[in-house]
Amino acid sequence: MNLNEITANIRLRNPWEAIDLGFSMVQKWWLSIYLPLALLTFGIASVLYLIFPKGNVWIASLIFWWLKPLYDRVILHILSHKLFNDELSTWQVLKALPSLIWNTGLFQSLTFRRFSLSRGFNLPIWQLEQLRGSRRSERQSVLHQIAHTYAAWLTIVMVNIEIVIVISLFGLFMLFLPEKTANDFFVGMFSNKVEYERWIDLLNYLFYVFAVTLIHPFYIGASFALYINRRTQLEAWDIELDFKKLALRFETLARNLIPALLCVFTLSLLSTSSPVAADEVTNVDPNSEIEVTEFLSDERLPAESSKQVIKETMLTKELNDKQTVTYWVRKDTAKKPKNDPDKFSFADFFEPFAKIMGFIIEFALWILVAIVLFLLFYFRDSWLHLFNIERKAKKESYQAPEVMFGMDVRPDSLPDDIISESRKLWDNKQHRESLSLLYRGALIRLINIEHVQLKDSFTEGDVLKHSQKKISEAKHLFLDNLTNNWKMIAYAHRHPTNEAMEQLFNTWVSDFAIEKVLSDLESNTSKKDGSKDE
Amino acid sequence: MTLDTLYQVNTPEGISLRLSPAGPVVRMLAWIIDILIRLAINGVFFAALAFFGKTGIGIALILSFILEWFYPVYFELYKKGQTPGKKMFNLYVSMEDASPISPGASIIRNLLRFVDFLPFLYGFGFISMLLTKRFQRLGDLVAGTVVLHKSLNYPTIEEDKTKAISPPVALNLSEQQALIRFQQRIPYLTAERAEELAQIATPLLLKNSSENSIENKQASSRLLGIANWIMGAKH
């Protein structure tokens, strides 16, 4: 291993970045990786397919999957040579196969280490460092200290990506099938009614082999990069490389210092211009050139064109985002600069007028404010309730209505004996009048005796609803019955039967027209006292 | 030219920004975090709105639609390009030139998830990321955006007590940086390895004297002295 030959930029990365570097490696060296790998995987896959044809292709897939550690070794072999600038031909890779099989712990990887989550990360220890036994396990535990979590997640993610690619390939294939065929195919696949056709098996198998061939180099590349990064961290490879460069520069500098000085001396004696001398010096010391500049651009624009670019940049929207912000500022009258007294000033000349005008306008404005305030006060009833809901309830002193639905509901408009009067009307076939009298009586009772706050805007239904909470259940039942009958006759011109009317008359006496004291025995005493006083 | 995932963006002032695009592995993990968060929020939506019968489910469906499509847009525009998942893995979305992502780009990028998602669970997205140098999925390519690693600073270490030594020769930028990195990383290196590294740099140390080699343990402490001097300690 010669660090000077390394073809990847060695710097300390965070582990995720290291994984990305592995992906970049595969992207850059794809041809040298995929050519031998595809020969290997498709070769193995065809042999397996020939051994397990017809219905047993799943065994071929399983064995192909199980052999993944073998492909790992081939990929790592290629990558590690590439990383240290060693080009391998496909033939060389295939020739190395036997040694990769025998000298890299393949047997263990294929058996009890097959399910290790960090197998990709551990592989370089087996294959490149060639450690075995206790030394290997010590080495591995050191390397695992920080990197193991990442290595394990990498394995999990890559396995998932592989599955996604296989299903995606299948999905893509289905997208290109006619709808009917695709449907039948789906149904067949999940119901097991249609027998698997051979080509579908083969297709599945091919997709799987393709996905493994495609994804596996990325997995091994990322694992290898993670391993390299961990070693960079442990052994400071990046610093070693920089120090080597530094040492080389100073050695050549020391060797060439005296000739260079002499050269400069003679050249200046010959009074040549100094740039030549500078050229001379830099030619002497080619190693002072820095390959990777950390913060200075590789290609810098010449001064004139960079001026142009800066100008253009300064004109972009991001740098010219002007906003107009309006806000009030207190006038600082004291700081107002005095005008020159000698000079005629228009403003000075008009100042008295301006002051008078100002006074008038100000006065007018104050009057306006006073008028507005007065109007607000005068019409307070129409707007004050908008702000104060409680006030509304307090303000409203209840006034019993005198007329409801065109009926006179003053108490003294009633005859003394409602029932007998109503009965008389009923027997006279004056059904409407009879019921109207009864209903009127009920309303007057509700207002004056039960103290239900009825309003003249109420409908029959409102009356019923409103009184529900205020009167006992029996009374409300009667009222309900009466209201229904009244509504029937008033709006539908249908009068109740004699029996129904008789029942109304009876319940009036037994349920409705009774004192609160008797009917509301269950309600509290204070209420009783109040109603007794009435 | 050595291989790296980085690419550079030059500002007119001649400063080059080094940007580090993030690959599919870490992005998939970040995506899983985000999808779990969205699932949890959706679960809350549906559980809460299920009480309101079909109307509730309808509203929940609308909310989950909005969540699915605008969750990334919101975070990309208002949380410095970082959804919670990306934040967890120190990633952020930006335009290719490292300027903040524009609203249009963010919406395009997230609407095109639909294409990347085909044929199954970001199949096209993965292929696109494996094929492009900056690991962009199709949505990124169309919107001109890229997912980048947020650069992490080294942990600051305690001040070194070594006496500052001025370097015998002027050092160029990368050499100065190498020395500073040496100082920063020394706590993570074994003493033997540190000395081994320092011995490599002996031509720098030999410069000011006539000695031929430096005793054991001497080289690393002298390098540390120079590093201290570069860092600004002058005594």
Side-chain angles (χ1 to χ4, degrees):
Chain A
M1 186 185 78
N2 184 0
L3 268 187
N4 295 330
E5 287 289 313
I6 205 155
T7 50
N9 187 18
I10 293 299
R11 61 189 173 92
L12 197 57
R13 295 170 168 85
N14 83 46
W16 299 123
E17 271 189 289
I19 288 173
D20 298 341
L21 176 70
F23 278 66
S24 284
M25 287 182 189
V26 180
Q27 284 179 347
K28 192 170 180 191
W29 303 324
W30 66 277
L31 195 60
S32 355
I33 297 167
Y34 281 115
L35 204 60
L37 182 69
L39 277 176
L40 181 72
T41 52
F42 281 92
I44 290 176
S46 340
V47 171
L48 287 172
Y49 186 72
L50 289 177
I51 301 174
F52 303 100
K54 221 173 200 178
N56 287 326
V57 180
W58 66 273
I59 302 178
S61 308
L62 184 72
I63 295 175
F64 182 79
W65 167 79
W66 197 272
L67 284 174
K68 269 183 178 178
L70 175 64
Y71 324 142
D72 291 356
R73 280 158 173 74
V74 174
I75 299 164
L76 183 63
H77 183 71
I78 301 164
L79 277 173
S80 57
H81 278 85
K82 273 299 220 180
L83 185 65
F84 291 102
N85 209 10
D86 187 8
E87 188 73 39
L88 290 178
S89 68
T90 308
W91 175 238
Q92 277 173 311
V93 174
L94 294 179
K95 249 192 347 197
L97 258 176
S99 83
L100 288 176
I101 291 171
W102 299 118
N103 302 330
T104 55
L106 182 64
F107 179 71
Q108 291 189 24
S109 297
L110 285 175
T111 51
F112 64 97
R113 293 189 203 282
R114 180 64 182 80
F115 293 98
S116 156
L117 277 180
S118 55
R119 60 195 167 84
F121 181 78
N122 301 338
L123 187 59
I125 307 173
W126 291 85
Q127 186 174 333
L128 304 178
E129 297 187 33
Q130 287 289 339
L131 296 179
R132 296 291 183 274
S134 61
R135 285 193 62 206
R136 183 202 58 83
S137 59
E138 278 167 26
R139 179 77 177 146
Q140 186 170 309
S141 68
V142 170
L143 292 179
H144 272 192
Q145 269 171 19
I146 291 170
H148 184 257
T149 329
Y150 301 97
W153 277 116
L154 175 66
T155 311
I156 294 166
V157 169
M158 293 313 279
V159 165
N160 280 295
I161 292 182
E162 207 171 271
I163 296 168
V164 165
I165 296 291
V166 174
I167 302 179
S168 287
L169 284 171
F170 215 79
L172 198 62
F173 173 70
M174 300 287 279
L175 281 179
F176 285 107
L177 284 183
E179 206 173 342
K180 175 81 169 61
T181 322
N183 260 349
D184 290 352
F185 180 72
F186 248 116
V187 171
M189 205 158 66
F190 288 108
S191 62
N192 257 346
K193 273 178 198 160
V194 184
E195 263 200 32
Y196 257 169
E197 288 179 46
R198 210 168 160 187
W199 65 269
I200 294 168
D201 258 355
L202 178 61
L203 203 64
N204 255 331
Y205 184 59
L206 273 178
F207 283 156
Y208 183 64
V209 173
F210 177 77
V212 170
T213 312
L214 176 73
I215 298 302
H216 225 56
F218 286 100
Y219 170 59
I220 295 300
S223 299
F224 183 45
L226 208 53
Y227 164 86
I228 294 286
N229 194 51
R230 177 70 183 129
R231 283 196 62 179
T232 305
Q233 196 178 22
L234 278 176
E235 297 162 28
W237 283 8
D238 52 332
I239 297 173
E240 180 176 335
L241 282 170
D242 279 343
F243 279 5
K244 275 182 178 160
K245 240 180 265 165
L246 176 148
L248 198 65
R249 182 167 89 98
F250 282 114
E251 270 164 11
T252 41
L253 204 64
R255 237 183 291 126
N256 295 316
L257 192 63
I258 295 157
L261 279 176
L262 273 178
C263 182
V264 171
F265 183 66
T266 37
L267 282 172
S268 57
L269 272 185
L270 292 167
S271 70
T272 25
S273 57
S274 53
V276 180
D279 266 357
E280 214 57 37
V281 174
T282 43
N283 281 344
V284 165
D285 181 21
N287 293 303
S288 66
E289 271 177 53
I290 312 151
E291 268 180 50
V292 182
T293 48
E294 287 282 342
F295 297 109
L296 289 175
S297 185
D298 292 339
E299 35 191 271
R300 307 186 67 172
L301 294 166
E304 306 84 52
S305 57
S306 99
K307 209 174 197 176
Q308 186 57 33
V309 175
I310 291 172
K311 237 181 209 166
E312 279 167 20
T313 309
M314 292 306 283
L315 287 174
T316 55
K317 204 177 125 267
E318 286 79 4
L319 295 173
N320 287 291
D321 194 15
K322 280 184 188 163
Q323 279 184 322
T324 313
V325 183
T326 322
Y327 57 94
W328 292 93
V329 181
R330 195 188 160 84
K331 269 189 185 171
D332 208 347
T333 40
K335 276 190 182 170
K336 205 170 140 190
K338 290 267 182 279
N339 281 340
D340 194 352
D342 299 335
K343 232 179 176 178
F344 174 76
S345 155
F346 199 70
D348 282 349
F349 182 73
F350 279 105
E351 205 180 298
F353 301 102
K355 270 188 177 166
I356 290 164
M357 278 305 287
F359 179 74
I360 290 168
I361 291 171
E362 191 187 355
F363 198 72
L365 280 174
W366 278 117
I367 288 171
L368 195 68
V369 168
I371 291 170
V372 168
L373 281 177
F374 174 76
L375 287 176
L376 279 176
F377 179 75
Y378 190 77
F379 291 106
R380 64 189 181 280
D381 284 352
S382 52
W383 58 267
L384 217 56
H385 67 272
L386 294 176
F387 302 103
N388 197 346
I389 292 118
E390 280 172 43
R391 203 187 129 84
K392 186 184 167 192
K394 240 186 266 170
K395 186 191 76 180
E396 242 174 53
S397 58
Y398 174 70
Q399 259 190 322
E402 296 187 336
V403 177
M404 288 181 84
F405 344 107
M407 290 175 173
D408 192 348
V409 289
R410 282 169 303 182
D412 39 0
S413 69
L414 274 185
D416 290 338
D417 191 352
I418 301 168
I419 295 296
S420 56
E421 192 71 20
S422 174
R423 250 184 227 282
K424 213 186 281 169
L425 286 167
W426 185 261
D427 293 342
N428 254 345
K429 301 279 178 212
Q430 291 177 290
H431 301 130
R432 178 178 276 267
E433 285 78 349
S434 166
L435 259 174
S436 141
L437 177 64
L438 213 56
Y439 189 62
R440 201 150 59 90
L443 287 180
I444 290 167
R445 237 191 124 71
L446 282 177
I447 294 166
N448 296 304
I449 298 174
E450 307 288 351
H451 295 290
V452 182
Q453 298 196 337
L454 299 183
K455 284 187 201 163
D456 49 6
S457 58
F458 278 10
T459 64
E460 288 90 340
D462 289 337
V463 172
L464 202 61
K465 210 165 77 186
H466 219 72
S467 53
Q468 189 170 22
K469 288 175 204 154
K470 305 278 174 83
I471 61 178
S472 74
E473 214 168 303
K475 283 179 181 174
H476 190 257
L477 211 64
F478 168 81
L479 189 66
D480 192 3
N481 195 7
L482 176 62
T483 310
N484 278 338
N485 283 320
W486 161 245
K487 279 197 308 201
M488 287 303 270
I489 201 161
Y491 301 115
H493 296 277
R494 282 191 209 158
H495 60 78
T497 55
N498 284 340
E499 294 84 77
M501 204 58 200
E502 195 55 35
Q503 201 207 340
L504 273 181
F505 290 140
N506 291 336
T507 41
W508 172 278
V509 181
S510 64
D511 288 357
F512 190 68
I514 45 173
E515 286 307 313
K516 235 180 177 179
V517 200
L518 296 169
S519 62
D520 297 350
L521 263 179
E522 67 277 8
S523 66
N524 59 54
T525 42
S526 65
K527 238 185 180 177
K528 263 188 242 166
D529 294 340
S531 52
K532 247 179 196 171
D533 293 342
E534 300 290 340
Chain B
M1 190 61 198
T2 53
L3 177 68
D4 207 333
T5 51
L6 303 176
Y7 72 96
Q8 297 191 341
V9 169
N10 291 346
T11 67
E13 291 87 342
I15 296 165
S16 88
L17 304 172
R18 305 213 304 167
L19 307 171
S20 169
V25 175
V26 64
R27 286 176 65 177
M28 176 169 163
L29 291 171
W31 177 80
I32 288 172
I33 300 287
D34 282 332
I35 199 102
L36 288 178
I37 291 172
R38 283 206 296 267
L39 271 181
I41 298 174
N42 270 330
V44 172
F45 279 166
F46 279 94
L49 289 166
F51 288 114
F52 302 101
K54 276 188 175 174
T55 319
I57 295 296
I59 294 168
L61 282 171
I62 291 170
L63 286 177
S64 80
F65 170 84
I66 292 170
L67 184 73
E68 187 61 35
W69 289 100
F70 292 100
Y71 167 97
V73 175
Y74 169 77
F75 282 105
E76 280 163 19
L77 293 182
Y78 297 106
K79 300 287 171 190
K80 300 181 179 174
Q82 294 184 303
T83 60
K86 288 203 174 69
K87 189 161 189 163
M88 206 170 141
F89 289 97
N90 267 303
L91 305 176
Y92 69 104
V93 187
S94 78
M95 304 303 285
E96 275 173 335
D97 60 358
S99 60
I101 186 166
S102 69
S106 177
I107 287 170
I108 290 172
R109 160 173 209 283
N110 287 301
L111 283 182
L112 282 176
R113 267 177 202 285
F114 173 66
V115 178
D116 281 301
F117 197 84
L118 287 171
F120 175 75
L121 267 183
Y122 290 95
F124 286 163
F126 277 129
I127 297 293
S128 169
M129 278 191 246
L130 296 182
L131 292 179
T132 50
K133 256 192 165 173
R134 296 174 187 178
F135 310 119
Q136 288 161 301
R137 58 180 180 80
L138 299 171
D140 284 326
L141 288 172
V142 174
T145 56
V146 65
V147 178
L148 299 171
H149 286 285
K150 233 183 161 86
S151 55
L152 297 172
N153 296 324
Y154 287 117
T156 45
I157 49 156
E158 290 163 46
E159 202 182 321
D160 199 87
K161 296 288 187 297
T162 328
K163 193 173 177 296
I165 305 167
S166 66
V169 202
L171 297 170
N172 63 33
L173 184 64
S174 76
E175 290 161 354
Q176 292 181 14
Q177 286 175 338
L179 282 171
I180 292 167
R181 261 183 292 140
F182 178 69
Q183 188 194 32
Q184 284 174 329
R185 295 261 291 279
I186 242 181
Y188 307 100
L189 299 173
T190 57
E192 292 80 19
R193 177 61 182 161
E195 185 60 27
E196 191 184 3
L197 283 174
Q199 289 289 346
I200 296 171
T202 38
L204 168 66
L205 304 171
L206 290 173
K207 203 69 196 136
N208 61 343
S209 60
S210 51
E211 56 195 331
N212 282 323
S213 69
I214 295 162
E215 280 171 48
N216 210 13
K217 299 277 170 200
Q218 282 289 304
S220 63
S221 70
R222 278 169 73 173
L223 277 188
L224 279 182
I226 296 176
N228 250 344
W229 193 88
I230 295 168
M231 287 295 278
K234 296 290 182 254
H235 47 78

